[in-house]
Amino acid sequence: ETGVTQTPRHLVMGMTNKKSLKCEQHLGHNAMYWYKQSAKKPLELMFVYNFKEQTENNSVPSRFSPECPNSSHLFLHLHTLQPEDSALYLCASSQVPGAGGYTFGSGTRLTVV
Amino acid sequence: EDQVTQSPEALRLQEGESSSLNCSYTVSGLRGLFWYRQDPGKGPEFLFTLYSAGEEKEKERLKATLTKKESFLHITAPKPEDSATYLCAVHDSNTGNQFYFGTGTSLTVIP
């Protein structure tokens, strides 16, 4: 499979749950990103990984914990989330950071109840 | 202050009715301006990159142009399948690898 694949597509979790989002890319890209998309707001950059190393953490609360075991896989571990964390979480990749047009996955629609 | 502002927020067009979407930006070190298309329930799909004022890019019914302060996405004779949200993003060299996205224009093309 080519492109950027995100699983699950939809997730409903309680505030005390722990869950993980998964992202996989088969494009040979070296940079991967997590973005949060909320209604009526611009995409918010959360984390950047370059060659598996985290290069940016955009003041994201510690209840979001990223993991990048290799340059093809990216995870976002979630725990004790708040209802305001409900959003579309998008994974993206590019050849290198700042290279230009990203390739995005279809996202995980997260609802915190 | 918002670095990227898109207008209008929503646009309804009759099929065949040409129009333009606007993306204005305030960053001082523009390294690139990007247009994306986003369909409901999907991630953004990359359309164009523009690097310098005067540059133009075309793809089917879409043409993107760039000036020193704004970009336009011109849609010529749109079809219903062009209905989507169009996002603009800028890469600012003064803030490392930061990309700033706009909130998008939701385009609906009515048959």
Side-chain angles (χ1 to χ4, degrees), chain A:
Chain A
E1 187 177 348
T2 59
V4 178
T5 303
Q6 290 188 243
T7 54
R9 290 296 311 275
H10 301 274
L11 179 62
V12 179
M13 59 186 289
M15 289 192 284
T16 59
N17 291 159
K18 289 184 180 181
K19 296 286 184 182
S20 296
L21 310 184
K22 179 182 176 182
C23 175
E24 189 173 355
Q25 59 97 359
H26 301 279
L27 300 167
H29 289 169
N30 297 308
M32 296 185 77
Y33 314 82
W34 280 116
Y35 275 89
K36 176 183 179 181
Q37 187 174 34
S38 304
K40 306 290 186 182
K41 290 186 176 181
L43 269 71
E44 299 174 46
L45 178 64
M46 300 176 72
F47 302 104
V48 180
Y49 277 83
N50 185 25
F51 289 98
K52 304 187 303 176
E53 300 298 321
Q54 187 180 130
T55 57
E56 282 193 53
N57 173 342
N58 240 18
S59 302
V60 179
S62 60
R63 57 186 184 270
F64 295 91
S65 173
E67 178 189 0
C68 189
N70 55 61
S71 56
S72 298
H73 293 84
L74 186 64
F75 295 89
L76 189 62
H77 304 299
L78 315 172
H79 65 97
T80 59
L81 294 190
Q82 305 299 310
E84 59 265 29
D85 296 322
S86 298
L88 181 68
Y89 288 84
L90 291 163
C91 174
S93 69
S94 65
Q95 186 60 43
V96 292
Y102 295 162
T103 301
F104 282 89
S106 293
T108 294
R109 172 66 64 185
L110 174 67
T111 303
V112 181
V113 297

Side-chain angles (χ1 to χ4, degrees), chain B residues 63-77:
Chain B
K63 182 168 82 172
T65 61
L66 180 65
T67 71
K68 288 188 177 181
K69 288 297 179 187
E70 59 191 348
S71 176
F72 292 93
L73 185 65
H74 307 278
I75 303 177
T76 302

Side-chain angles (χ1 to χ4, degrees), chain B residues 1 9 24 27-29 32 42-43 47 50-51 74 77 81 83-84 87-88 91 96 99-100 102-103 111:
Chain B
E1 181 187 0
E9 186 174 320
S24 62
V27 301
S28 57
K42 294 191 175 182
L47 292 173
L50 300 166
Y51 292 104
H74 307 278
E81 52 263 42
S83 298
L87 299 173
C88 169
H91 182 197
F99 279 73
Y100 299 101
T103 53

Side-chain angles (χ1 to χ4, degrees), chain B residues 81-95:
Chain B
E81 52 263 42
D82 295 322
S83 298
T85 296
Y86 291 85
L87 299 173
C88 169
V90 297
H91 182 197
D92 182 10
S93 62
N94 291 336
T95 55

Side-chain angles (χ1 to χ4, degrees), chain B residues 13 20 37 48 72 75 102 110:
Chain B
L13 299 173
S20 298
R37 169 191 170 128
F48 303 111
F72 292 93
I75 303 177
I110 305 161

Side-chain angles (χ1 to χ4, degrees), chain B residues 19-75:
Chain B
S19 188
S20 298
L21 314 183
N22 178 264
C23 171
S24 62
Y25 59 91
T26 57
V27 301
S28 57
L30 183 73
R31 183 171 281 180
L33 185 141
F34 307 88
W35 283 99
Y36 291 85
R37 169 191 170 128
Q38 186 171 22
D39 292 297
K42 294 191 175 182
E45 176 188 351
F46 171 68
L47 292 173
F48 303 111
T49 308
L50 300 166
Y51 292 104
S52 57
E55 189 175 358
E56 298 183 353
K57 293 276 179 73
E58 286 190 65
K59 180 180 180 179
E60 297 180 355
R61 295 176 292 282
L62 301 176
K63 182 168 82 172
T65 61
L66 180 65
T67 71
K68 288 188 177 181
K69 288 297 179 187
E70 59 191 348
S71 176
F72 292 93
L73 185 65
H74 307 278
I75 303 177

